[in-house]
């Protein structure tokens, strides 16, 4: 699949690397600063799935859960006005959108088969009595934080599974909106990811602090009323993502179109730092091997510093990317590489350890068990002016499960009490409330953890030992 008018990077760097010819590329083909453009997976339509989803509109209840769980943005719900569908191709099915606020709009689930890897999570999670998505042979049919904060997001990604699907050279799935804004993604060493992201936050804060100083100088030096109001509005809301963005746009437009800039060099300095007017959302992402083990010293230090960073730990409870070795997140009795007889020690409770600081937002989530709680934790953690730690239960193929049922595995883990859902929000203490909120319900049934097939025999061996 080759698109016309491809960017130079795709033609001269990306395609040779995908063809395993990267060693033949001259140094001059690469950017001198080593930066790779984002949004390049759009040119990498692999079509690797044997079976891909087909939408059955007559069964659809328009809940959009299929899109929510899709790891490759294959399932895309869209709304359209009837007049926009006049020239739609034959077979382009749409139905009336449900809900009073959507009256007059048409609804469709659009599927991108060439991006699909055939995991089946979309069809599995569909709650409709008659499935609205079914898996069909490919031949017959021919990514949550970025949606919330993507246009101002900076990501430090620990090496591991998340770095493989997040930025394997030469392509990158993170992309931009219509204004050209999108996540900045970077990957450093496995053991220093927290410090790496911490450096991003320090750099951003220093530049935004400089803008604040310049804004105060500009106000004292005398500027137009409109610009004065915009600068003061930004100073009052510089810690708010959406408001800082809105006031920042006003400032940039007023400086670029006004006459003040001709006589006030301070405004030129603000203009040069314009990219930092919008509050950045700094995320540090990695797995349990990094967060619980090799990178924990750095992670604990970064969390303790009280800076405004957001940490997302994808807890598979095992070293997944390197073949399934046990980590400090692996539970007692679980069988994994290097613990074939069952792990002797208990799982490290990193959430409880972080809560003892008292000023860290902490949440334990599992998307398949409670999507609303997951989304609420992400929004709350990002909005908290301080460090946030979100630990997400992430079933893995190394658990011996079919990844088609990963969402169901998360649901079982929570229902059985194997995995708890909670949020710890320090802001509630100032309101005289308990900062700890338990979102899990009373457990039911036997433990349904990922290692349940092997745990019983492992525990027997432990007892004999």
């Amino acid at each position: 699949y080759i698109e016309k008018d491809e960017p130079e990077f795709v033609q001269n760097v990306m395609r040779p690397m995908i063809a395993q010819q990267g060693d033949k590329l001259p140094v001059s083909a690469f950017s001198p600063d080593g930066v790779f453009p984002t949004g390049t997976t759009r040119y990498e339509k692999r079509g690797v799935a044997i079976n891909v989803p087909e939408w059955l509109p007559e069964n659809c209840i328009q809940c959009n859960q299929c899109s929510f769980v899709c790891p490759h943005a294959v399932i895309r719900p869209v709304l359209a006005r009837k007049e926009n569908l006049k020239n739609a191709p034959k077979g382009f099915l749409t139905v009336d959108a449900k809900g009073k606020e959507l009256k007059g709009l048409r609804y469709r689930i659009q599927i991108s088969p060439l991006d699909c890897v055939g995991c089946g999570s979309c069809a599995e999670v569909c709650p409709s009595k008659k499935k609205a998505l079914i898996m069909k042979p490919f031949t017959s049919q021919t990514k949550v934080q970025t949606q919330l904060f993507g246009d101002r997001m900076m990501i430090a990604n620990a090496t591991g599974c998340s770095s493989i699907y997040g930025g394997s050279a030469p392509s990158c799935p993170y992309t931009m909106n219509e204004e050209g804004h999108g996540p900045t993604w970077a990957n450093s060493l496995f053991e220093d990811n927290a410090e790496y992201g911490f450096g991003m936050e320090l750099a951003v804060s220093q530049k935004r602090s400089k803008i604040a100083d310049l804004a105060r100088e500009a106000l004292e030096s005398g500027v137009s009323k409109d610009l004065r109001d915009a600068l003061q509005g930004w100073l009052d809301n510089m810690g708010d993502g959406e408001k800082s963005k809105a006031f920042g746009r006003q400032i940039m437009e007023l400086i670029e179109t006004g006459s003040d800039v001709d006589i006030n060099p301070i405004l030129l300095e603000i203009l040069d730092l314009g990219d930092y007017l919008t509050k950045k959302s700094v995320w540090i992402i990695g797995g349990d091997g990094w967060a619980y083990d090799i990178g924990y010293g750095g992670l604990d230090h970064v969390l303790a510093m009280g800076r405004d960073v957001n940490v997302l730990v994808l807890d598979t409870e095992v070293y997944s990317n390197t073949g399934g070795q046990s980590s400090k997140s692996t539970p007692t009795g679980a069988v994994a590489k290097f613990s074939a007889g069952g792990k002797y020690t208990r799982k490290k409770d990193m959430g409880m350890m972080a809560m003892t600081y008292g000023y860290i937002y902490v949440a334990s989530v599992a998307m398949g068990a409670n999507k609303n709680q997951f989304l609420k934790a992400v929004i709350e953690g990002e909005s908290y002016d301080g460090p946030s730690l979100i630990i997400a239960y992430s079933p893995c193929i190394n658990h011996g499960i079919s990844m088609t049922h990963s969402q169901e595995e998360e649901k079982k883990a929570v229902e059985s009490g194997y995995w708890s859902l909670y949020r710890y929000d320090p802001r509630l203490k100032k309101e005289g409330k308990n900062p700890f909120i338990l979102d899990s319900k009373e457990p039911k049934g036997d433990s349904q953890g990922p290692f349940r097939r092997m745990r019983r025999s492992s525990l027997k061996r432990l007892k004999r030992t």
Side-chain angles (χ1 to χ4, degrees), residues 18-195:
I18 291 175
Q20 302 295 307
Q21 300 298 310
D23 290 345
K24 297 180 181 179
L25 290 174
V27 174
S28 58
F30 297 88
S31 171
D33 57 8
V35 172
F36 276 35
T38 58
T40 48
T41 49
R42 61 176 292 189
Y43 304 103
E44 191 184 17
K45 303 296 183 183
R46 294 179 294 167
V48 297
I50 297 174
N51 294 313
V52 297
E54 176 185 311
W55 181 52
L56 303 179
E58 65 274 14
N59 297 341
C60 186
I61 61 174
Q62 301 181 19
C63 68
N64 298 333
Q65 290 193 42
C66 52
S67 176
F68 196 84
V69 304
C70 177
H72 292 88
V74 172
I75 314 294
R76 304 168 189 181
V78 293
L79 292 169
R81 293 183 174 87
K82 291 181 180 179
E83 57 267 27
N84 295 332
L85 298 171
K86 290 180 179 178
N87 299 319
K90 186 179 180 180
F92 191 83
L93 300 175
T94 62
V95 296
D96 287 331
K98 296 181 179 180
K100 293 180 180 179
E101 68 279 7
L102 302 178
K103 188 176 181 180
L105 295 176
R106 300 288 289 178
Y107 176 90
R108 172 179 173 83
I109 289 289
Q110 181 63 47
I111 295 167
S112 178
L114 290 173
D115 291 314
C116 182
V117 298
C119 71
S121 292
C122 56
E124 184 68 23
V125 79
C126 178
S128 181
K129 290 182 179 179
K130 290 185 177 180
K131 293 288 185 181
L133 283 167
I134 57 174
M135 302 301 289
K136 288 287 192 70
F138 175 83
T139 53
S140 69
Q141 303 300 308
T142 24
K143 261 154 180 338
V144 174
Q145 285 142 301
T146 58
Q147 294 294 309
L148 294 170
F149 326 112
D151 63 342
R152 56 187 180 90
M153 199 171 181
M154 301 180 74
I155 304 170
N157 204 147
T159 302
C161 297
S162 57
S163 73
I164 301 305
Y165 59 69
S168 287
S171 60
C172 179
Y174 293 102
T175 188
M176 301 174 291
N177 61 16
E178 64 278 1
E179 297 177 336
H181 298 153
T184 298
W185 184 95
N187 164 241
S188 183
L189 300 175
F190 182 52
E191 62 271 20
D192 73 356
N193 188 54
E195 298 93 320

Side-chain angles (χ1 to χ4, degrees), residues 178-222:
E178 64 278 1
E179 297 177 336
H181 298 153
T184 298
W185 184 95
N187 164 241
S188 183
L189 300 175
F190 182 52
E191 62 271 20
D192 73 356
N193 188 54
E195 298 93 320
Y196 189 50
F198 187 54
M200 292 181 182
E201 196 281 331
L202 291 176
V204 168
S205 292
Q206 193 279 331
K207 290 185 177 183
R208 300 193 81 231
S209 178
K210 177 65 175 177
I211 296 176
D213 291 340
L214 291 170
R216 295 186 188 98
E217 287 185 48
L219 289 172
E220 293 176 1
S221 66

